[in-house]
Amino acid sequence: AVVSTQSTGALPHHDNVVSATVTKVGFYLMVGWHSGIRIFWNGGTQVYVKAEPAWSGKLEGLCGNYNTNPKDDYKKQNGLTELTAYPFANSWKTSDSCADADKDEQTPCEIN
């Protein structure tokens, strides 16, 4: 779901349908649920997911598995584990029209 201030009105906003609260936190838009999951987005390319300890061992995806075992953080949807970030990231694409992440692309730190 995409949240815009045009559709939600003023922030903070509470949505009773999905039981989420949307608010501005510094430079980030934060979506939080009573279940203990919070997503922070800078409006561009940075997304952070914060989960309370009760979620340990119950999550998987691009942000890892939240199980204190960094060796399986690159686990793909099919259960296999990649050794590097690029094939792992590409395995979670939801559309074939998305370009593959490319190891030859420079990161902002390398550019500057």
Side-chain angles (χ1 to χ4, degrees), residues 86 101-106:
Y86 297 101
D102 185 358
K103 67 180 177 179
D104 294 329
E105 293 177 17
Q106 288 185 307

Side-chain angles (χ1 to χ4, degrees), residues 32-103:
W33 290 267
H34 292 292
S35 61
I37 302 284
R38 292 174 293 160
I39 298 174
F40 297 84
W41 177 50
N42 74 344
T45 59
Q46 291 181 331
V47 174
Y48 298 95
V49 177
K50 302 256 184 191
E52 291 186 4
W55 286 97
S56 181
K58 299 176 184 173
L59 302 175
E60 63 181 25
L62 284 175
C63 295
N65 295 333
Y66 194 39
N67 64 1
T68 70
N69 179 8
K71 292 182 179 180
D72 70 357
D73 278 348
Y74 287 164
K75 188 162 124 183
K76 300 188 303 183
Q77 293 180 63
N78 64 9
L80 300 176
T81 302
E82 284 291 345
L83 298 176
T84 59
Y86 297 101
F88 165 70
N90 291 329
S91 76
W92 283 92
K93 290 190 321 182
T94 58
S95 171
D96 291 335
S97 66
C98 294
D100 280 349
D102 185 358
K103 67 180 177 179

Side-chain angles (χ1 to χ4, degrees), residues 2-35:
V2 175
V3 177
S4 77
T5 54
Q6 291 176 338
S7 64
T8 61
L11 296 177
H13 171 77
H14 181 77
D15 185 320
N16 292 322
V17 176
V18 293
S19 191
T21 300
V22 180
T23 190
K24 188 86 167 151
V25 178
F27 294 110
Y28 292 86
L29 187 67
M30 192 266 304
V31 181
W33 290 267
H34 292 292
S35 61

